[in-house]
Amino acid sequence: MFSGSVQPNIVCLFSSTGSQPLSLFSVQADAALPSDSFVHLLNDSASLPVPSEASLISPPKAYHDEDGGECIGKQLRQTVLHIQSPTLRTTFIQCPPSFSFRADDKGLGLKHGWLQIQVRNLAREWSFEVGIVDKAGKHGVVRCSTFQKYPTLRCNYNLAPVLQLPLNFPSSSSNALTAWSTVTIHLPSFIPQFASVSRDQRSRTDASDEDGSTDASSVPSPQFLPGGAYAHLTYVKIYATCRLRRIWLSDSAPGAGGPIPWEFELYGD
């Protein structure tokens, strides 16, 4: 999508306040649960408009106001994207809309090292995943999930190995004033994790071979794992359940390359 283009220092893939926020994305919801699974634009503070013939979940009262009373924390007086479903895997948005793991499909083709996602924690299970490629052309998928307990690596049929990592939002018992946060990830740092998690997983597999409790075939072979220098990002997929404000990539870490544009900041009340 962008591999043949000049890539600026910052590339924004999604902005909920844009005129066509999902123009670069495909949208999928669970057709079997139309009242509970949907992707919908609404005002964050008012939770309006409510989607027709659907049951909108209420943000949890997990924070405390100045008087010590329970509240839902500071909110945004802006349009955001609400992604909701009890079946996480079936409801998501993806950029680019279609992607295959063929050698000639570079997907996004973005070479930036940092990915940032502005997201609201709705106290439900949430997950996002990204596709990355090393300089040797080996693909990998990194999936970060709030329900994942520890890092694991698994085969993804004939596609790409999937590195599953735990993801934690700031605790409501901390000094956080809002359920909104910016998830920042350094994409090149994922490359060596494929090998390290694979070694740990194979060690556990070897230790449990006697009782047959672990299937060694579920651990991808080292030769199929990305391990060279980071090349580019192929896709981004955001699953239910959350609220999204912005997704962007940058060449440098937050603050290292100067201030981000003011409109990228979070302002709540």
Side-chain angles (χ1 to χ4, degrees):
M1 181 178 284
F2 297 102
S3 59
S5 306
V6 176
Q7 300 183 8
N9 293 336
I10 296 178
V11 173
C12 183
L13 295 178
F14 171 81
S15 173
S16 61
T17 58
S19 58
Q20 294 181 311
L22 291 168
S23 60
L24 299 178
F25 288 77
S26 61
V27 178
Q28 179 170 314
D30 192 339
L33 299 168
S35 63
D36 297 311
S37 300
F38 52 87
V39 178
H40 180 69
L41 289 165
L42 49 69
N43 181 277
D44 182 53
S45 60
S47 290
L48 295 173
V50 176
S52 60
E53 300 181 1
S55 301
L56 187 70
I57 62 172
S58 300
K61 292 185 176 182
Y63 298 84
H64 294 86
D65 57 25
E66 295 177 354
D67 300 323
E70 291 186 342
C71 67
I72 59 179
K74 292 184 179 296
Q75 304 176 86
L76 304 180
R77 289 187 176 181
Q78 294 180 345
T79 298
V80 299
L81 187 69
H82 183 98
I83 308 175
Q84 173 183 321
S85 180
T87 52
L88 180 150
R89 291 286 188 87
T90 63
T91 303
F92 57 83
I93 62 172
Q94 178 180 300
C95 178
S98 62
F99 171 73
S100 66
F101 290 94
R102 300 192 317 267
D104 61 340
D105 190 349
K106 294 185 180 297
L108 287 171
L110 289 168
K111 300 177 182 179
H112 304 71
W114 294 86
L115 172 68
Q116 299 183 75
I117 305 171
Q118 286 177 338
V119 60
R120 180 173 181 173
N121 178 13
L122 294 177
R124 304 291 179 98
E125 291 185 344
W126 177 59
S127 181
F128 73 88
E129 70 180 52
V130 295
I132 57 177
V133 181
D134 68 7
K135 293 289 187 181
K138 294 181 180 179
H139 289 260
V141 173
V142 181
R143 182 177 299 140
C144 300
S145 307
T146 57
F147 51 85
Q148 189 74 25
K149 300 301 183 183
Y150 52 85
T152 61
L153 188 67
R154 70 175 182 83
C155 293
N156 191 14
Y157 303 101
N158 295 321
L159 302 179
V162 180
L163 178 64
Q164 300 176 120
L165 299 175
L167 172 69
N168 295 311
F169 281 114
S171 170
S172 59
S173 60
S174 66
N175 295 324
L177 299 176
T178 177
W180 281 96
S181 58
T182 301
V183 177
T184 301
I185 57 176
H186 186 224
L187 297 169
S189 67
F190 287 137
I191 296 289
Q193 293 191 50
F194 280 88
S196 62
V197 172
S198 176
R199 286 193 298 268
D200 293 344
Q201 201 161 313
R202 285 187 176 277
S203 296
R204 293 194 300 269
T205 301
D206 293 341
S208 57
D209 271 348
E210 293 183 0
D211 59 13
S213 60
T214 306
D215 181 9
S217 64
S218 65
V219 184
S221 301
Q223 64 265 30
F224 298 116
L225 301 177
Y230 174 75
H232 63 268
L233 176 73
T234 56
Y235 73 91
V236 177
K237 182 183 288 187
I238 310 292
Y239 292 95
T241 294
C242 69
R243 287 183 179 178
L244 280 180
R245 180 178 181 267
R246 192 179 299 273
I247 304 171
W248 77 95
L249 292 104
S250 60
D251 284 333
S252 55
I260 63 173
W262 67 267
E263 64 268 23
F264 284 30
E265 299 283 0
L266 287 171
Y267 300 98
D269 58 16

